[in-house]
Amino acid sequence: MIRAFLAQCERDLYVTVRREPFSFLSQSLLQPLFFLFVFGRVLPEIGAAQGDYGAQLLPGILALTLVLTALQNVALPLVIEFSFTKEIEDRLLAPLPVTWVAVEKLLIATVRGVIGGLLILPLGELILPGGIDLGGASIPALAAMLVVGALVGACLGLVLGTAVPPNRISVAFGLILTPLIFTGATFYPWESLDSLRWFQVLTLVNPMTYVSEGMRGALTDAPHLAAGWIVLGLAAGIAIFGTLGVRGFLRRAVD
Amino acid sequence: MSGVLVQVADLRKRYPGSPVEAVAGISFEVREGEIFGLLGPNGAGKTTTIGTITTRVRPTAGRVVVDGHDVCRAPVAVKKRIAVVPQLSNLDRSLTAVENLAFHAAYFGAGRRERRRRALEMLARMGLEGRANDKVDKYSGGMAQRLMIARALMHEPRLLILDEPTTGLDPQSRLFLWEAMLDLRARGVTLMLTTHDMAEADRLCDRIAIVDHGKVIALDTPRGLRRLLPAEHGLEVVVSGREPLTVDTAENVEGAPEDDRWRGRIYGELSPGELADVVRAAGRELIELRRMEGSLEDVFVHLTGRELR
């Protein structure tokens, strides 16, 4: 069973590296790249944002990349494999429990998310006016947030990929991704929202808020959501969406 | 008698939200080393039955055991012993043909060198050796089907399940697959197939279960099934001379002249030898004599009716 699990991981890593490196990179990096450039470079340049906005933006963009890369790497393939190509069948008939197939999907998407996140750091150094400053950063906290943040995205992706009927997937992506991106404390520190209280409370529903705030805590000394709340939010997000996702996967895999 | 590999006992399945049972109490056994056919109109319950054997459908009631392992309690043990060739391609489109086979073998625990060797060997057996490094989306329907059979055989299953294996294939591919299936049986693999194609079932299957409305309505050898037709109890004869042949011991005689001959159908419990004697006694020459056997298609329509589903 372990060998079947590892072999499925091997297949996915092989395809990521050997077959689809370009599509993987463009899918995960294009959007954050533009956000970094327009919000971190263009807006301060034309005087529409303060010069140090980039430093506040980077943790949010990192969170966004982690969550969205992992999410898309689970949700899109799952919809296609379950509904159209049926490629998932060969995995479901492999000698391992069906739940493990879902866990494998989460694991690989997490790895892809972390790779996407790591690539954001050199891009930030190139794009942002002041580069990036990791002097005040906590490396262990950063490493933990990379993994946990990507896992949150993967769990969300598993729910999306198994709950949404295939003919509605494009609508669902639009309806879910846009609010997810803009209510996730990506472009602003959560603390600074206290003048817009209702919105500040609303953002707490979005699991990405805890990833962004966690990244902010790991990378900067700017004020952020208290560590305890971040841990709680992340744990709850993984538990709730992970359970829903695995359940949805089982429902699709076994009639 | 050989052992039983698959045992399906009073299997029932009702899908959530559906008013009727897709499978309403099916029982049968598949013996080791045979080719077992599951025949039935669309929506008869074939796919659901196959689904329970492959662990992809959870039975509402009843029991399915594969090689001693219950599909609900030990799905992993069952999956080790079976392989499935689906109706439509589910090959991994991100991979080449040889990679498809090699990764499948890896899922079943084969080592790196072993899986590559077996993959190449299996491609050659299926007549795909020149196309090993092509992406599978370049494959034609017949090639994809052969590749899926090759993939299914990579882990040496005890039971190979084929869901309408030759639907939509050209005659060459179909003949190739038929020969491949007979070859597999000769190697000791048990095969189970669903089909609409009566000629296929007749030619390949050792035993056939005809399924309709979620139930097995007949289960026998192709020959035994044909005997279910009323026309089975009759002889067709061609004799010299245009005048009708009189057969006193027959229940019913129908016939018509044909050039300088007479062709007739003799119904009743009359043996071919007895009929030959009657022809000789009448001073006529016997040109043709055969037992009337309906096709499997006649049996199928006889049992399941004519209406469209």
Side-chain angles (χ1 to χ4, degrees), chain B residues 8-15 18 20-28 38 43-52 57 59-61 64 211-216:
Chain B
V8 177
D10 200 28
L11 175 68
R12 286 171 186 277
K13 176 65 184 180
R14 187 195 296 275
Y15 289 102
S18 167
V20 290
E21 284 180 314
V23 171
I26 279 184
S27 302
F28 62 85
L38 216 48
K46 301 187 298 281
T47 307
T48 302
T49 305
I50 293 288
T52 58
V57 175
T60 313
V64 178
V211 180
D212 198 17
H213 300 298
K215 289 196 156 95
V216 173

Side-chain angles (χ1 to χ4, degrees), chain B residues 257-304:
Chain B
E258 221 175 55
D259 298 332
D260 59 341
R261 299 166 176 182
W262 181 82
R263 178 186 292 271
R265 293 182 164 195
I266 322 292
Y267 296 98
E269 299 295 331
L270 195 69
S271 76
E274 285 161 1
L275 184 62
D277 289 341
V278 171
V279 173
R280 206 172 301 124
R284 317 272 290 262
E285 192 191 335
L286 183 63
I287 297 168
E288 247 182 82
L289 171 62
R290 65 180 192 88
R291 194 185 284 281
M292 275 192 285
E293 281 192 337
S295 67
L296 211 50
E297 189 152 345
D298 296 330
V299 182
F300 188 75
V301 173
H302 176 68
L303 291 172
T304 62

Side-chain angles (χ1 to χ4, degrees), chain B residues 50-293:
Chain B
I50 293 288
T52 58
I53 297 171
T54 62
T55 74
R56 294 289 311 280
V57 175
R58 197 178 294 276
T60 313
R63 214 166 117 79
V64 178
V65 178
V66 177
D67 200 16
H69 298 276
D70 187 293
V71 292
C72 292
R73 270 180 252 149
V76 175
V78 170
K79 288 194 271 190
K80 264 188 202 146
R81 288 162 171 81
I82 63 167
V84 183
V85 178
Q87 199 180 341
L88 298 172
S89 168
N90 64 359
L91 293 164
D92 192 331
R93 276 158 234 226
S94 310
L95 300 176
T96 64
V98 69
E99 288 167 351
N100 258 282
L101 302 190
F103 275 113
H104 178 91
Y107 298 168
F108 285 82
R112 207 167 285 271
R113 190 171 303 168
E114 166 73 4
R115 54 174 116 142
R116 173 127 190 122
R117 188 187 62 74
R118 277 188 60 78
L120 291 173
E121 184 187 301
M122 206 56 83
L123 284 170
R125 212 164 112 192
M126 287 291 151
L128 295 167
E129 56 269 77
R131 310 293 298 266
N133 295 314
D134 286 7
K135 281 281 213 60
V136 295
D137 44 17
K138 297 212 171 63
Y139 268 41
S140 71
M143 288 164 67
Q145 196 73 15
R146 265 139 64 199
L147 186 60
M148 286 196 288
I149 294 183
R151 182 183 65 183
L153 297 175
M154 285 297 287
H155 65 279
E156 299 182 326
R158 304 277 311 272
L159 173 70
L160 179 64
I161 297 173
L162 302 110
D163 194 5
E164 301 195 13
T166 57
T167 305
L169 294 188
D170 59 37
Q172 287 82 357
S173 300
R174 200 147 76 135
L175 277 175
F176 184 92
L177 281 192
W178 284 356
E179 273 160 29
M181 286 186 236
L182 292 172
D183 176 53
L184 282 171
R185 182 181 60 180
R187 289 164 187 253
V189 180
T190 306
L191 287 97
M192 211 179 150
L193 59 104
T194 71
T195 182
H196 286 132
D197 184 340
M198 305 297 149
E200 178 168 291
D202 206 356
R203 175 156 174 181
L204 293 176
C205 295
D206 297 305
R207 291 189 310 139
I208 296 168
I210 296 183
V211 180
D212 198 17
H213 300 298
K215 289 196 156 95
V216 173
I217 53 176
L219 198 171
D220 209 331
T221 60
R223 175 100 182 75
L225 286 175
R226 279 199 296 266
R227 240 179 264 137
L228 292 173
L229 280 179
E232 166 69 16
H233 307 288
L235 300 167
E236 190 172 77
V237 68
V238 179
V239 295
S240 61
R242 288 176 61 84
E243 60 278 13
L245 185 72
T246 320
V247 187
D248 298 330
T249 48
E251 282 168 24
N252 189 16
V253 179
E254 295 169 359
E258 221 175 55
D259 298 332
D260 59 341
R261 299 166 176 182
W262 181 82
R263 178 186 292 271
R265 293 182 164 195
I266 322 292
Y267 296 98
E269 299 295 331
L270 195 69
S271 76
E274 285 161 1
L275 184 62
D277 289 341
V278 171
V279 173
R280 206 172 301 124
R284 317 272 290 262
E285 192 191 335
L286 183 63
I287 297 168
E288 247 182 82
L289 171 62
R290 65 180 192 88
R291 194 185 284 281
M292 275 192 285
E293 281 192 337

Side-chain angles (χ1 to χ4, degrees), chain A residues 155-229:
Chain A
C155 291
L156 284 170
L158 194 61
V159 175
L160 201 58
T162 55
V164 180
N167 52 346
R168 306 238 178 85
I169 190 69
S170 55
V171 181
F173 259 72
L175 281 177
I176 290 164
L177 288 196
T178 311
L180 195 72
I181 293 169
F182 289 97
T183 65
T186 317
F187 306 105
Y188 39 81
W190 185 81
E191 288 278 333
S192 61
L193 288 177
D194 48 8
S195 55
L196 205 60
R197 190 69 186 165
W198 67 269
F199 187 63
Q200 192 179 35
V201 173
L202 187 75
T203 57
L204 291 177
V205 181
N206 184 347
M208 194 149 93
T209 300
Y210 305 95
V211 184
S212 300
E213 287 296 298
M215 274 299 170
R216 222 156 254 137
L219 288 177
T220 67
D221 359 314
H224 58 81
L225 201 60
W229 289 115

